[in-house]
Amino acid sequence: MTNLNNTVNRALKFISSDSRKTKLVVWYNNKNITSDISDYIESFSFTERAKNGESDDLTITLENSTGIWSNGWLPERGATLSAQIITENWNQPNDNQMLDCGLFEIDDLNDSGPVSTFSIGALSVGITSSIRGESRSQAWENFKMSGLVNEIAKRHGFNVFFHSNYDPVIDRFDQKNESDLEYLVKIAEYIGVNVRLSHNKIIVYEEKLYDEQEVSLTLSKNEDGFINHSFRASSADIYAACQVQFLDSKSGKLVTYQYTPNGRSGVMGKEGSESKGDSDDVKIDQKTRMVITTQGKDEDEISEPKVGKVLKINRRCGSIAEAEQLAKSSLRGKNKREITGSLTYVGNLYLRAGLTIAIRGFGVWDYSKWVIEEVVHSWSVSLGFETSITIRGVLGY
């Protein structure tokens, strides 16, 4: 009877004691095992990322006092897990939501104690394949990122999602004892785009195209469910401008182009042309170069570093327009985490990686438009269901 009472109490904790309920529905190798594991779940977390070279993951921690998980129920590494997070009566009666976390492969098992627990870690399908674990050496010449990603995807059986207006020709870039994923990430950083693997798909995207999206929602410090926050303004490795030096194939002369956000950009040594900047309906803070969502007073704005370094790049370009695109992409890559933050709320399934948001009630930090880089949806016996996000200020170029 004692064991039965313990099981009932654990189940009640899992769904919570009030009208709000949270549950995790789980499939193991396409078999629904929710009813088998629910009474054992101590915690779970699903992390969704929109960061270069990173992937989504799922972790489930289970009670293991009887040793059942380290004996007869030991999961297989490489087996698939799929999961859904379901909330019921969340913000009001009959407010029911569901988040499909996707398909994962088990890659990590952790048995620890006391207190005896068993943890299952899983990564997005495809991450555990040879694209990550097998090193290669190859000379790549006169190629575009789009061609490279299609060739590597075909090699490993992946699908491709390519969303970038910037796809320059790269003269030569050798792969030296690196996995194909490591090499893809390196090339992405080189030209200023992002690449990530998600559920058997290679995704390549130009971050600026997503940053330009309209604000999806506004999070407030004063609303129910707010737990904590953290913000940071950094001057480390931040640049005020970018110079691109290249050999003009027509004139045979060395050309230096400088891009300065919201300043005078153009060919060095000549009278620089005024940068076109952004469209009139987008407001850019002249000090921080961030996109403005709410007008603030000068004394309340976040100041940029006093010393402005110039990022210098030597690379082939076919035109001034291509040099400008390269300068912008490279500068964004260096500066995009100048202003960063994190927020934690009571569980919110509407928060997804890649969304653009505004915030209110946080003082000077309200001034910028933000993009969500990472979301962690987590549940535990002690804390219940929470959602934590990491965010960065959206640059105006």
Side-chain angles (χ1 to χ4, degrees), residues 112-116:
S112 61
V115 175
S116 296

Side-chain angles (χ1 to χ4, degrees), residues 15-23 86-98 346-347 349 385:
I15 64 175
S16 79
S17 59
D18 55 20
S19 60
R20 283 182 169 182
K21 298 180 181 180
T22 304
K23 63 181 178 181
I86 296 176
T87 58
E88 299 176 1
N89 305 314
W90 199 245
N91 297 307
Q92 59 188 11
N94 299 317
D95 176 24
N96 304 321
Q97 303 170 29
M98 186 273 286
V346 170
L349 294 182
F385 183 36

Side-chain angles (χ1 to χ4, degrees), residues 255-278:
V255 177
T256 301
Y257 174 88
Q258 177 164 309
Y259 173 74
T260 305
N262 297 296
R264 295 188 65 81
S265 301
V267 176
M268 301 293 288
K270 298 181 180 179
E271 184 179 353
S273 57
E274 192 72 29
S275 177
K276 294 180 181 179
D278 299 87

Side-chain angles (χ1 to χ4, degrees), residues 22 25 164 243 294 344:
T22 304
V25 178
S164 174
Q243 284 184 11
T294 181
T344 301

Side-chain angles (χ1 to χ4, degrees), residues 3-13 39:
N3 290 336
L4 177 60
N5 288 336
N6 288 339
T7 299
V8 171
N9 288 335
R10 290 180 55 76
L12 288 174
K13 285 180 180 179
D39 292 345

Side-chain angles (χ1 to χ4, degrees), residues 46 48 56 98-101 217 348-357 371-375 377 387 389:
F46 163 56
E48 183 183 42
D56 302 342
M98 186 273 286
L99 173 62
D100 188 349
C101 303
L217 52 86
N348 186 338
L349 294 182
Y350 292 112
L351 296 176
R352 303 298 301 272
L355 286 182
T356 53
I357 64 170
V371 66
I372 300 177
E373 286 197 309
E374 180 176 292
V375 181
H377 297 290
T387 299
I389 61 174

Side-chain angles (χ1 to χ4, degrees), residues 40-90:
Y40 294 92
I41 295 180
E42 292 278 358
S43 65
F44 68 78
S45 69
F46 163 56
T47 303
E48 183 183 42
R49 298 180 174 91
K51 294 181 178 179
N52 198 27
E54 299 190 14
S55 62
D56 302 342
D57 64 59
L58 177 71
T59 301
I60 304 173
T61 301
L62 306 146
E63 190 273 332
N64 193 36
S65 58
T66 64
I68 189 170
W69 289 99
S70 45
N71 288 290
W73 285 13
L74 182 71
E76 295 181 5
R77 283 172 292 173
T80 60
L81 282 182
S82 55
Q84 296 174 333
I85 301 173
I86 296 176
T87 58
E88 299 176 1
N89 305 314
W90 199 245

